[in-house]
Amino acid sequence: MNASSAVFAAVDFGASSGRVMAARVGPGTLELEELRRFPNRPVRVAGTLHWDILGLYGNVLDGLRAAPPGLVSVGIDSWAVDYGLLDERGALLGNPVHYRDARTDGVMERVRAELGDDHLYQVSGLQFLPFNTVYQLAAESADVLKRARTLLLIPDLVGYWLTGRIGAERTNASTTGLLDVRAGAWSRPLLDRLGLPAQLLPDLREPGDVVGTLRADVAEETGLRADLPVTAVASHDTASAVAAVPASGERFGYISCGTWSLVGVELPEPVLTEASREANFTNEGGVDGTVRYLRNVMGLWLLQECLRAWDSPDLSSLLAEAARVPALRSLIDPDDPEFLPPGGMPERIAAHCRRRGMPEPGTRAETVRCVLDSLALAHRAAIRQAARLSGREVEVVHLVGGGSRNELLCQLTADACGLPVVAGPVEATALGNALVQARAHGVVGDLAEMRALVAGTQPLRRYEPRGDESAWSDAAARIGLS
C-alpha cells in the first residue's frame, strides 16, 4: 500500500459472508487489503432462524486486531431490516432474528389491511416486502416489546458494542418502513398506529458522523488506540455500494448484485406515485440526501442455494457449461415468494418451470442457465421500470458487487437490457464504506470525486449488448416481466 495515504477499516457484513478490509485512500490511491473474511451462517434454534451476531462480532474484533498501523477510523455496514433489541441495561434481549424466518408469514398482509397500502407508501416510500422491519416488529411478542428499550439495526448494534454509543444511521433507517421519507425523521404517527413506543428508535445519524471512540475494553482487546473513532458510513450495504458506483453524470442505472440484486437509479427526490407503489419500487436513503430508487430482485441467492444443495461444485466449470446451454429455454420468476426460504432450491426451480409449462432443467448446467437467464430478465424489467417511473434516462448499467465476477450474468444482463454493462468493482460496498470515512476525515471530496477515484483505480470490464432483443422481449412476456 502507498505509505502516504490514510488507512480506514471497513467492516462489511453481507447476508452470506462478512469481511474486515483495510482501505488506503489518498490522491489517486484507493487500495483494499483483506484483513479477515468469514462466513455468515444463520442458526436455527427451536424453530426460529437467527443471525449468529456474537460470532460476527468476534470476527470483527479478530479483523481489527490485524489492522495496519496508523488506522484513522472504523466504519460498519450490513444488510438491512434486521435488528437487535436492548433492555433497560443495554443488554441484548436475544439473538437477532433472520429476515428469512417464517415469523412474518402473513404479517405484512395484516398490517397493510389495517393501515392501507397508500398510507404506508406515502410515509416510508418502501417496497412491500414481508421482512421489512415494520412487519418484523409487528410479529414480535408483546413480552419482548415490553422489555425492550432500544432497537438497533445491525451496524448500529455493532457500533454500540465497539463504542457504547447509541444511534441510528439514516440510510439503513430508511429501510425499516418507520422513517418518513419526506421529512427524513422517524414517523411518530405511524409508530402510534402500530402501538410501538417512540423511544424504541434512537436519534438519527448521517453518513460521516462520528459515532464515538472505542471502549477501553475493545481497545485493549484489539490493540488499537482508545481514541480511535468509529465513523458512521452509509451503513446499509447497498447505500455504500452505490456510493462507490464508478459513474460520471446522472444517466446510469445500477445493480448491486450479491445475495440480492438491488436494481435502480439514483435520484434527488423520492417517487411516491401510485404507479411507483403498484410497481413495488422503493425509495431508500443514499449519501448526501440522494434517493436510491430501486427494486429488490432475488439475486444470486438462487444460485448460492443450488450450489449448497449440490455440495459446492466448482462454479467456474459449471458456468462454462451453462454458457453452452441454449438460451431462454427454461425460465422462472426470481421474485416468486416460494424462492425466499432456504433449502431444496433445484427442486423448487424445476417444479416452478413445470407448473408454468416450461421444460424442467435436466442438468445442473441447465439449472444454472435457467437462474442466470431469469435474473437477467429481472434486471431488465427493473432497470426499464425505474427509468420509466422516475423519468431518469439510463444510458449505461453499472453492475457492482460479487455478481460482477460472473461474466455470464454480466453479458446476459447487457443482452437483456440492450445497454452496456460496466462490471465492477467487486468490493464496492467496502470501498463505499471507506470512502465515506475518508471524506469525513478530509481525505477526499464530494460524491463525484469519490466515484472518479473508484473509476480511476479499480479494475472494470465493459460488456456490450449482443444478440436479438426480440428474443428477450418474448422471454420476458412468457414470465410476466415485460
Side-chain angles (χ1 to χ4, degrees):
M1 287 188 172
N2 184 336
S4 67
S5 304
V7 184
F8 303 88
V11 177
D12 172 25
F13 294 121
S16 57
S17 65
R19 60 212 53 82
V20 181
M21 311 288 278
R24 191 171 293 276
V25 187
T29 299
L30 181 58
E31 301 169 357
L32 284 179
E33 176 189 350
E34 184 178 300
L35 302 178
R36 186 169 183 82
R37 186 175 293 267
F38 45 91
N40 184 4
R41 298 191 184 99
V43 180
R44 193 174 297 278
V45 180
T48 299
L49 195 63
H50 294 273
W51 296 104
D52 181 11
I53 192 65
L54 294 181
L56 294 175
Y57 180 66
N59 276 293
V60 171
L61 297 179
D62 289 343
L64 293 178
R65 287 189 197 98
L71 196 63
V72 174
S73 169
V74 179
I76 307 154
D77 69 74
S78 86
W79 69 93
V81 306
D82 289 334
Y83 56 86
L85 293 171
L86 305 182
D87 67 13
E88 59 187 5
R89 299 176 296 110
L92 191 64
L93 281 171
N95 277 321
V97 177
H98 196 293
Y99 62 81
R100 295 188 191 274
D101 184 72
R103 70 172 177 164
T104 54
D105 289 355
V107 174
M108 179 180 72
E109 291 76 12
R110 173 171 58 81
V111 173
R112 291 171 68 176
E114 291 174 358
L115 301 186
D117 285 1
D118 187 61
H119 175 70
L120 288 167
Y121 197 73
Q122 289 300 314
V123 171
S124 70
L126 282 195
Q127 178 180 4
F128 293 103
L129 294 168
F131 46 71
N132 287 346
T133 312
V134 60
Y135 309 124
Q136 293 199 45
L137 283 170
E140 285 282 4
S141 73
D143 177 63
V144 168
L145 288 175
K146 184 177 179 179
R147 290 185 290 139
R149 294 295 178 270
T150 306
L151 179 150
L152 293 179
L153 297 170
I154 298 302
D156 301 320
L157 177 61
V158 174
Y160 165 65
W161 284 338
L162 291 176
T163 67
R165 301 290 294 275
I166 283 174
E169 188 277 319
R170 193 181 301 274
T171 68
N172 215 8
S174 74
T175 72
T176 62
L178 301 167
L179 192 78
D180 188 312
V181 70
R182 291 188 179 93
W186 297 119
S187 175
R188 304 300 178 184
L190 181 57
L191 289 168
D192 289 343
R193 292 191 65 179
L194 292 166
L196 297 172
Q199 63 269 24
L200 194 66
L201 302 177
D203 291 342
L204 292 164
R205 302 179 177 122
E206 299 293 337
D209 287 351
V210 172
V211 173
T213 55
L214 296 184
R215 290 164 45 106
D217 58 319
V218 174
E220 182 178 0
E221 187 168 354
T222 59
L224 298 171
R225 69 179 199 274
D227 63 348
L228 180 71
V230 174
T231 303
V233 298
S235 68
H236 181 199
D237 53 8
T238 308
S240 276
V242 172
V245 165
S248 59
E250 299 177 339
R251 296 182 177 181
F252 68 92
Y254 57 80
I255 303 171
S256 180
C257 184
T259 300
W260 289 91
S261 283
L262 292 306
V263 188
V265 295
E266 185 175 75
L267 302 174
E269 301 289 341
V271 180
L272 300 174
T273 60
E274 183 178 354
S276 179
R277 174 174 60 80
E278 290 179 349
N280 215 18
F281 265 74
T282 205
N283 296 269
E284 296 174 352
V287 172
D288 293 348
T290 56
V291 171
R292 292 176 290 116
Y293 185 62
L294 60 86
R295 191 169 66 205
N296 284 45
V297 172
M298 196 70 75
L300 289 172
W301 163 255
L302 299 162
L303 180 58
Q304 291 164 356
E305 280 293 285
C306 287
L307 295 175
R308 187 167 71 88
W310 297 329
D311 294 326
S312 303
D314 180 67
L315 179 58
S316 59
S317 299
L318 202 49
L319 289 172
E321 290 180 50
R324 295 190 291 269
V325 170
L328 306 174
R329 179 175 176 269
S330 302
L331 299 170
I332 60 172
D333 176 1
D335 294 324
D336 191 301
E338 72 174 292
F339 297 126
L340 186 62
M345 190 63 74
E347 292 76 19
R348 278 187 279 159
I349 288 171
H352 186 99
C353 290
R354 183 171 61 250
R355 286 195 305 272
R356 291 188 170 221
M358 295 190 189
E360 294 182 41
T363 66
R364 292 179 177 182
E366 288 176 358
T367 299
V368 171
R369 186 58 187 254
C370 170
V371 166
L372 298 185
D373 280 347
S374 302
L375 282 181
L377 285 165
H379 292 165
R380 172 188 189 269
I383 286 288
R384 293 188 174 195
Q385 280 190 302
R388 176 171 52 81
L389 293 167
S390 68
R392 173 58 56 82
E393 184 178 355
V394 174
E395 296 177 345
V396 62
V397 176
H398 286 271
L399 196 154
V400 302
S404 65
R405 288 181 293 209
N406 189 319
E407 296 180 7
L408 180 55
L409 177 60
C410 293
Q411 184 61 62
L412 293 174
T413 298
D415 298 344
C417 293
L419 292 168
V421 167
V422 176
V426 172
E427 297 289 356
T429 300
L431 291 170
N433 176 322
L435 285 167
V436 169
Q437 293 183 68
R439 186 173 74 167
H441 294 275
V443 179
V444 295
D446 61 11
L447 186 56
E449 185 176 322
M450 290 161 55
R451 286 173 168 160
L453 185 58
V454 174
T457 59
Q458 303 304 302
L460 308 173
R461 180 170 176 181
R462 186 179 178 96
Y463 296 82
E464 296 293 341
R466 63 185 187 187
D468 181 6
E469 198 279 335
S470 64
W472 289 97
S473 295
D474 293 343
R478 286 163 59 198
I479 57 172
L481 288 177
S482 53

